[in-house]
Structure formats: C-alpha cells, structure tokens
C-alpha cells in the first residue's frame, strides 16, 4: 500500500510540475496495470480548465437517471452547463476539496485534498464523506471532520501527519502552515533539537534558526513569518527589572522583553516558549504583576502563549512538547486541551512506553538524510537519562508535578 500511495503521489507531482491540476482524482481514475505500475487516468477536467473561455464543454455529464443512482466513488464529474461562467463546480463530490465544492478557483491543493481522501479510504475501507445524495456529500465535505479513530491501530504516525496535511481546510491552512523556531542557540540544551524536529513535521513552511543562526537580527527579521513561534532556548525572568527579562540567543545576543514589545506577531496563532521562567510575572509589585515574557508576546499580537513557571527539565519538556504538538495538529484539540492531555500523558508515562517511543524515533531518524539527524544525539542521551530516572523514581519517572506542571496556556484558548 505504501508503494501504491507513493506512485500516485509521484504522478500528481509530475503533473503539477507541468502546471497541470487533475481536479478529479478518485479511485475510478487510479488503475493498476498488469505489470504492477500505478497509472493516474482521466485528466479531462484539467484540459477543460485550459479551454475555459474558448467555448469548450466536456462530455461526461450525468445521465438521465441522475447522480443519486451512481455509486459515489464512480459518480460523474459535476459541471455547469456553461463552462465560462463564474462560480462553476467541477469534480466528483466525495473527493472534492472544500474550495471546489464552493465553486472557488482551485490550485494543486485540490489534488492534495483528493489524494488524502483516497488514502484515508485505502486505509480504513470506508467512505470518508458520504450521504444519500450528491448535495449531502458536498455538505459533508464542507463541514465534516474526518473520523481519525477509524484509522487502523498500526497506522504509522507519519501517515497520520500526511493525512492531516492533505485534509486541512482552507482556513486552517492559511493560519497553520508556517513554523518559526529558534533551536538550541546556546548549544547546551539536550533534547532541544529533537523537540524542534518533532514540531517541524506538521508544517509546510519552516523558518528554523538552529545554533549559531539564531542571532537577534535573524529572529527579528523572520519571527513574523511564523503561524506558530517555537522558541526552544534558555529563558530568564528578572524580578528586579522585568523589562530586562530575556530569551538567550546565540553568543551574547538576547531577545529582551522590551524587544518583544516592538514585534508584530499578528500573523501568529500560537507562541510556545519552551524555556525556563517564561510565564512568570512580578508578584512583589502590584503595578507590574501582569508583566512577563508571556504578556509581552500577547501584547505583540499573539493570541495564545505557552510558557513555564519555573526552571524546567529538558527531557521532560521535549516529551511534553512532542505530545502537545501531536494533540494540536493530529488530534486537532483546542490548545488548552492539547496541553492538559500532554501533561496527563507525561505524568502517567511508563519507562517501557518512553523507551518504545525513543526506539521508534531512532528508527525513523536512521532512514532520514544526514542533515535531518540532529536529534540522533538527543535520543542517545535520552536513553541514559531515562535509565537514571528509572533507578531513582521507578516505573513512572515523570509522575511528580515538577516534570509536567510548569507549562501554562495563556491568552485565547
């Protein structure tokens, strides 16, 4: 199945590189030749779109018996009588992207959506969007969330992430496509590389500043491009001078609270401060009690900030953030719920489960290109750290609140 999926994806990629959008990908248009090669057929709608404005109208309209009498996977292409009019709808209902169903202009993401639907149905053996009539199916495309629990228990996490990316609706794509991250700029944070690499898999666009690249100038230049801003570094809250509170970048560079107030983060939907003391505020001076690194990011325009109340452990934070991001982008949980579940999960995580998680990640990294293996050293360190924790705290080493309770979700949920 994996090979078939890749062959379909490569066929679409080849078409997209030539500027061709299929617009009607469905099981009926995917054939397996006798020699085992997968072929993607019927680019009729792509050709039709090339001829819009020249009076071309394709054959293949629904017959007189109507679309309700045809299986949805074989249902005819829906077209308007006049191909030249605005707001036309083309495609097969059950595999249309929401943009197609609304009659909006489409790009290659329509094919990516349809590929996701086909792949979901290959894995589950069930229709993703169903209904008694074509209109019911189109309504489901526009409103229904996929039932992710229907995926087989052994589905690889990478396939789940792929499906999530394919089946994001337009509004979600617009606000959750780009990650900006600062990755271990001081070079002394074990597990920070792993943490950022885990988060990055959920984003099409990645603006990541690892190590020496994380200068103050680069952060100020790129941070506004992130829909999620993930800062995996050291942080310090200055009780005696709150505006001197800062995040430590490379070398002597610091991102001061006063610098943060000058940023424009109106493009972001989430800021994650994976650092120490990033949700503290001055409890001695009532006038300053709401001032902290977290409030500076809120004032700069971010609707939600995740920060910490004390000096956090690097391994526990990496595990927590891995689960938090999976909850957000695979489980599609609200931000507060995603963090709460991740904290409960870490609290109950057994040594056996933690070791299995590390083993799975290590196997994935061994298949990755060399420049994507920064986290390999982290996984080696994590194994020894887990062994030490098990000897001290038993089978659930992260049960104490110190390991998981520091992080708070602040702002809009």
């Amino acid at each position: 199945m994996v090979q078939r999926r890749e062959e379909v994806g490569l066929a679409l990629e080849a078409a997209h590189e030539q500027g061709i959008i299929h617009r009607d990908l469905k099981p009926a248009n995917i054939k397996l030749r006798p020699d085992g090669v997968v072929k993607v057929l019927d680019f009729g709608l792509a050709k039709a779109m090339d001829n819009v404005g020249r009076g071309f109208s394709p054959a293949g309209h629904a017959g007189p018996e109507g679309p309700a009498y045809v299986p949805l996977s074989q249902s005819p292409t829906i077209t308007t009588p006049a191909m030249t009019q605005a707001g036309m709808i083309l495609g097969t209902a059950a595999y249309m992207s929401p943009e197609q169903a609304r009659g909006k202009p489409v790009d290659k993401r329509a094919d990516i959506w349809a590929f996701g639907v086909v792949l979901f149905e290959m894995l589950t053996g069930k229709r993703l969007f169903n209904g008694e009539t074509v209109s019911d199916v189109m309504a489901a495309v526009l409103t229904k969330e996929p039932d992710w629990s229907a995926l087989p228990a052994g589905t690889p996490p990478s396939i789940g992430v792929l499906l999530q990316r394919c089946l994001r609706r337009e509004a979600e794509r617009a606000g959750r496509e780009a990650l900006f991250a600062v990755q271990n700029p001081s070079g002394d944070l074990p597990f920070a590389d792993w943490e950022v690499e885990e988060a990055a898999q959920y984003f099409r666009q990645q603006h990541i500043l690892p190590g020496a690249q994380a200068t103050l100038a680069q952060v100020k230049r790129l941070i506004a491009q992130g829909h999620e801003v993930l800062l995996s570094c050291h942080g310090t809250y200055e009780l005696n001078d709150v505006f001197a509170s800062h995040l430590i970048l490379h070398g002597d560079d610091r991102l001061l609270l006063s610098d943060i107030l000058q940023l424009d983060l109106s493009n972001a939907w989430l800021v994650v401060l994976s650092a120490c003391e990033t949700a503290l505020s001055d409890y001695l001076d009532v006038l300053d009690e709401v001032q902290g690194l977290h409030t500076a990011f809120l004032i700069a325009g971010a609707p939600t900030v995740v920060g910490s109340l004390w000096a956090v452990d690097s391994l526990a934070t990496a595990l927590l953030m891995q689960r938090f991001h999976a909850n957000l982008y695979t489980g599609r949980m609200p931000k507060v719920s995603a963090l709460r579940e991740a904290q409960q999960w870490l609290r109950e995580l057994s040594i056996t489960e933690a070791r299995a998680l590390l083993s799975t990640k290590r196997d994935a990294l061994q298949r990755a290109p060399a420049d994507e293996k920064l986290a390999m050293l982290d996984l080696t360190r994590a194994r020894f750290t887990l062994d030490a924790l098990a000897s001290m705290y038993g089978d659930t080493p992260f049960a104490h609140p110190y390991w998981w309770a520091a992080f708070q979700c602040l702002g809009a949920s």
Side-chain angles (χ1 to χ4, degrees), residues 237-258:
Y237 181 77
E238 296 289 353
L239 184 61
N240 296 321
D241 182 5
V242 65
F243 289 98
S245 300
H246 57 270
L247 297 169
I248 298 176
L249 303 177
H250 181 68
D252 295 328
D253 282 2
R254 303 288 185 267
L255 182 64
L256 299 174
L257 186 148
S258 54

Side-chain angles (χ1 to χ4, degrees), residues 141-187:
V141 168
L142 292 171
T143 61
K144 179 185 174 184
E145 287 295 322
D147 179 11
W148 302 111
S149 65
L151 292 172
T155 302
S158 59
I159 299 297
V161 171
L162 174 64
L163 286 169
Q164 290 284 338
R165 288 179 173 178
C166 291
L167 298 175
R168 283 181 185 165
R169 288 184 166 81
E170 184 179 36
E172 293 177 337
R173 289 198 303 263
R176 304 186 191 180
E177 284 202 324
L179 172 70
F180 171 81
V182 166
Q183 180 176 329
N184 195 14
S186 57

Side-chain angles (χ1 to χ4, degrees), residues 191-377:
F191 319 119
D193 293 320
W194 177 26
E195 178 185 333
V196 174
E197 287 181 17
E198 284 295 301
Q201 67 180 309
Y202 300 105
F203 297 89
R204 296 178 187 274
Q205 303 171 30
Q206 301 169 13
H207 309 284
I208 298 174
L209 299 177
Q213 296 180 35
T215 62
L216 180 60
Q218 283 289 81
V219 169
K220 287 183 175 181
R221 186 174 72 86
L222 294 173
I223 194 170
Q225 299 183 31
H227 296 132
E228 178 179 327
V229 173
L230 171 58
L231 304 178
S232 185
C233 56
H234 289 293
T236 299
Y237 181 77
E238 296 289 353
L239 184 61
N240 296 321
D241 182 5
V242 65
F243 289 98
S245 300
H246 57 270
L247 297 169
I248 298 176
L249 303 177
H250 181 68
D252 295 328
D253 282 2
R254 303 288 185 267
L255 182 64
L256 299 174
L257 186 148
S258 54
D259 294 323
I260 298 167
L261 292 172
Q262 305 304 314
L263 299 174
D264 178 8
L265 296 179
S266 56
N267 191 45
W269 86 294
L270 174 65
V271 172
V272 178
L273 304 177
S274 185
C276 300
E277 302 179 348
T278 50
L280 283 178
S281 56
D282 188 352
Y283 58 88
L284 298 177
D285 190 338
V286 174
L287 295 178
D288 289 338
E289 66 179 355
V290 297
Q291 294 294 341
L293 290 166
H294 60 301
T295 57
F297 281 100
L298 293 171
I299 293 169
T304 312
V305 177
V306 172
S308 62
L309 293 174
W310 54 76
V312 293
D313 175 77
S314 187
L315 175 58
T317 298
L319 290 167
L320 181 73
M321 289 301 165
Q322 179 192 36
R323 184 74 172 194
F324 172 64
H325 283 97
N327 287 342
L328 274 181
Y329 299 113
T330 300
R332 297 197 180 188
M333 294 183 182
K335 288 171 270 194
V336 170
S337 300
L339 180 60
R340 182 185 302 115
E341 194 282 338
Q343 290 171 320
Q344 293 171 344
W345 169 82
L346 183 59
R347 182 184 65 191
E348 299 168 2
L349 183 69
S350 70
I351 280 289
T352 301
E353 292 168 331
R355 286 172 177 157
L357 188 154
L358 295 179
S359 178
T360 299
K361 179 62 178 177
R362 185 167 53 251
D363 291 344
L365 283 177
Q366 287 174 344
R367 296 191 297 270
D371 60 350
E372 298 178 12
K373 294 184 178 181
L374 288 176
M376 186 63 81
L377 180 59

Side-chain angles (χ1 to χ4, degrees), residues 3 11 18 159 192 348 368 385 412:
Q3 181 181 350
Q18 299 300 316
I159 299 297
E348 299 168 2
T385 302

Side-chain angles (χ1 to χ4, degrees), residues 75-89:
S75 64
T77 295
I78 302 170
T79 64
T80 58
M83 290 287 290
T84 57
Q85 73 181 34
M88 61 188 171
I89 299 175

